[in-house]
Amino acid sequence: MAEDNKTHFGFRSVDSSEKAGLVAGVFHSVASRYDLMNDLMSGGIHRVWKRFTIELSGVRRGHRVLDIAGGTGDLAAKFSRIVGETGEVVLADINSSMLEVGREKLTDKGIVGNMRYVQANAECLPFPDNHFDCLTIAFGLRNVTDKDAALRSMHRVLKPGGRCLVLEFSKPTSDVVSKLYDQYSFSVLPRMGQLVAGDSESYRYLAESIRMHPDQETLKGMMDEAGFVNTSYYNMTGGIVALHRGIKA
């Protein structure tokens, strides 16, 4: 978190107390078109990133899984099938609109028995210590005001030996990819948001928030500081996205 009780909202500096409300406004606005925009923005490749996350999770039948900032439930749906009726998946999101879209989507798919929905702030998760076998947060950490507090909270609710997986946009590994990505993010993406979701500003914020997110090594260090061990990361699509994994000792 920035000094003097300030933090960033995209490229703007705002009071830390204001950020959660500003982010909420973004996701209330885009919730109904979130899945469609994900497919359009990434050309569908977000599904590959999420599949890799599932593969590295180590989740098995009977496990208890927490999907933070789970939004419309892509990861939660897959985890639900893996853990089976003896397991449990908690889809958590701070945003009520996103949580409701996720609940409706998964219910329509017939995923009901082992799913629970909780409106929760990642910085102060309302769950007991040592509770979950696995925890994921996909494309949500960059929107959290106090990322260090969130990582400590995630560490607390994991069981010893449990895995934390952070899937997030990151820093491209080559200058060429970085320049092309910037052009796409700040020229194409807001126009796409306006055409499809009727909201260019929210997608401009999303592009800006990615640039303000810690790079791969910095986030790895933050996870280490929060208490995770054997922390590692995997770059995907030239570093545009990275998957960080940490273990609770």
Side-chain angles (χ1 to χ4, degrees), residues 26 39 82 89 105-106 108 113 121 125 143 191 208 211 214 216 220 243:
V26 169
D39 280 331
I82 294 170
V89 179
K105 176 180 165 184
L106 269 58
D108 286 347
N121 185 338
L125 294 167
N143 297 310
R191 292 177 192 168
E208 292 176 359
R211 295 336 186 264
Q216 289 90 325
K220 179 182 182 299
L243 175 65

Side-chain angles (χ1 to χ4, degrees), residues 170-187 207 210-211 215-216 236-241:
S170 202
K171 305 301 179 188
T173 54
S174 84
D175 289 339
V176 173
V177 172
S178 184
K179 288 174 183 175
L180 290 172
Y181 185 43
D182 281 348
Q183 187 174 19
Y184 171 77
S185 297
F186 292 105
S187 297
I210 291 167
R211 295 336 186 264
D215 64 19
Q216 289 90 325
M236 294 180 278
T237 317
I240 288 174
V241 166

Side-chain angles (χ1 to χ4, degrees), residues 122-196:
E123 296 173 23
C124 48
L125 294 167
F127 306 107
D129 295 355
N130 307 315
H131 192 65
F132 293 98
D133 297 285
C134 181
L135 178 157
T136 58
I137 179 166
F139 306 113
L141 186 61
R142 73 180 187 281
N143 297 310
V144 174
T145 304
D146 190 338
K147 296 174 180 60
D148 291 312
L151 290 168
R152 290 193 299 269
S153 187
M154 294 175 202
H155 184 271
R156 179 186 63 78
V157 302
L158 271 178
K159 294 178 181 178
R163 300 184 185 188
C164 172
L165 295 137
V166 181
L167 179 65
E168 188 55 90
F169 292 108
S170 202
K171 305 301 179 188
T173 54
S174 84
D175 289 339
V176 173
V177 172
S178 184
K179 288 174 183 175
L180 290 172
Y181 185 43
D182 281 348
Q183 187 174 19
Y184 171 77
S185 297
F186 292 105
S187 297
V188 179
L189 188 55
R191 292 177 192 168
M192 192 185 299
Q194 183 61 45
L195 287 170
V196 178

Side-chain angles (χ1 to χ4, degrees), residues 50-101:
K50 290 170 182 173
R51 191 178 306 129
F52 185 60
T53 303
I54 297 284
E55 289 172 359
L56 262 64
S57 71
V59 168
R60 303 190 302 276
R61 186 170 181 80
H63 274 184
R64 185 183 285 137
V65 180
L66 173 62
D67 184 21
I68 302 172
T72 56
D74 282 353
L75 287 176
K78 292 179 172 61
F79 281 131
S80 174
R81 296 186 183 99
I82 294 170
V83 304
E85 59 187 20
T86 60
E88 181 185 52
V89 179
V90 177
L91 174 56
D93 203 295
I94 196 172
N95 187 278
S96 59
S97 297
M98 294 293 288
L99 197 62
E100 188 56 34
V101 170

